[in-house]
Structure formats: C-alpha cells, structure tokens
C-alpha cells in the first residue's frame, strides 16, 4: 500500500515534469534547439542587411537597397525563388551556398517565411 503511494507520487511528479518541459521548450526539445540555431545563424549572417525584424532598416540594408521581407513582392515569391536568391545571390545580395550549404539555406528560407509574414 505504502509502495503504491510512492509509485503514484512518482508518476504524478513525472507527469508534472513532462508538462513543465513541454511548456518550457515546446513539443520537442530538439526542434526548439534547431530553431534556436537558425535564429542565431540568421542574426549572424543575414540580419546586418535584412534586420533582426526582417525590415531591412539597417545601414547595410539601406545601402544595398534590401527589401523588407514583409513587402508584397517578397510575399509573392515562392520558397523555391527565395531559396535560389539565398543560394546564388542577386544584385547586392551575396550567395550563401558555398558558405552555408544548401540545407542551411533551405532552413533559413523556411525561417524567414514563417517569421516575417
Ligand atoms: C549584404 C547585404 C545582405 C546580406 C548579408 C543578406 N542579404 Fe538577402 N538580400 C539582400 C538584397 C539587396 C536583396 C534583394 C536582391 C534583389 O532582388 O535585388 C536580398 C534578397 C533576399 C531574398 C529574396 C527576397 C527579397 O527580399 O528580395 C532572400 C530570401 C534573402 N535575401 C535571404 C537572405 C539570407 C537567408 C541571408 C543570410 C544567409 C541574407 N539574405 C543575407 C541583401 C543581403
């Protein structure tokens, strides 16, 4: 009987713990960590022109005539078109395929699409 109570307490505690973990880190901790890495990558490689808020309201953004990611022209672009620009570059936008690899570029485009809309 006493044993069962301890077992119940442990079970309840682990449920609370799991719920807290989900509340803190979202459904899958690995996903949250990957998302964090992409945010860091965006901030270090892209935000100097595109801005942390995607509005390109930075010195380099203005100088290179970078568009706001929220602009209609960007919204009309497909993910494939955005990926192409990220991989190969366009006008003042440098290509990142060699430096970051295609997979990271894809993740960055997905992040941009999801974050700035
Ligand atoms: C030196 C400034 C600069 C940096 C750094 C930069 N971009 Fe850009 N980016 C631009 C400019 C300028 C354009 C517009 C190109 C055009 O169409 O003339 C652009 C366009 C884009 C587009 C196409 C949509 C749009 O707004 O026209 C995507 C997607 C994009 N950049 C992603 C990225 C990603 C991802 C990074 C970081 C890995 C990055 N950029 C870093 C300047 C920059």
């Amino acid at each position: 009987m006493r044993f069962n109570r301890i077992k119940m307490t442990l079970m309840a505690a682990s449920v609370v713990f799991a719920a807290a973990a989900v509340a803190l880190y979202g459904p899958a901790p690995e996903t949250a960590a990957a998302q964090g890495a992409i945010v860091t990558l965006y901030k270090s490689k892209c935000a100097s022109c595109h801005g942390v808020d995607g509005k390109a309201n930075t010195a380099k953004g203005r100088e290179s005539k970078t568009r706001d990611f929220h602009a209609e022209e960007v919204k009309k672009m497909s993910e494939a078109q955005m990926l192409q620009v990220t991989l190969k570059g366009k006008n003042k936008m440098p290509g990142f395929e060699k430096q970051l690899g295609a997979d990271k570029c894809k993740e960055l485009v997905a992040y941009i699409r999801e974050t700035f809309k």
Side-chain angles (χ1 to χ4, degrees), residues 3 6 9 16 20 31 38-40 45 52 59 63 65 67 72 89 91 98 100 102 104-105 110 112-115 117:
F3 180 69
I6 292 170
T9 310
V16 169
T31 315
I38 278 300
V39 176
T40 306
K45 300 288 178 192
V52 174
E63 182 207 335
K65 300 203 162 47
R67 264 192 298 254
E72 279 309 313
N91 299 321
K98 286 212 178 73
L100 302 179
K104 284 277 172 269
C105 289
I112 289 165
R113 263 283 145 101
E114 187 50 40
T115 313
K117 53 188 177 188

Side-chain angles (χ1 to χ4, degrees), residues 50-71:
H50 288 281
V52 174
D53 59 4
K55 291 184 177 166
N57 196 12
T58 66
K60 271 178 85 181
R62 284 187 294 272
E63 182 207 335
S64 61
K65 300 203 162 47
T66 306
R67 264 192 298 254
D68 184 344
F69 277 140
H70 302 84

Side-chain angles (χ1 to χ4, degrees), residues 45-46 49-50 64 66-67 74 77 86 90-91 93 96:
K45 300 288 178 192
C46 321
C49 294
H50 288 281
S64 61
T66 306
R67 264 192 298 254
V74 180
M77 288 174 86
T86 306
K90 189 177 173 191
N91 299 321
M93 160 85 189
F96 284 91

Side-chain angles (χ1 to χ4, degrees), residues 12 50 53 56 73 78 88 95:
H50 288 281
D53 59 4
E73 304 100 284
S78 68
K88 307 292 179 202

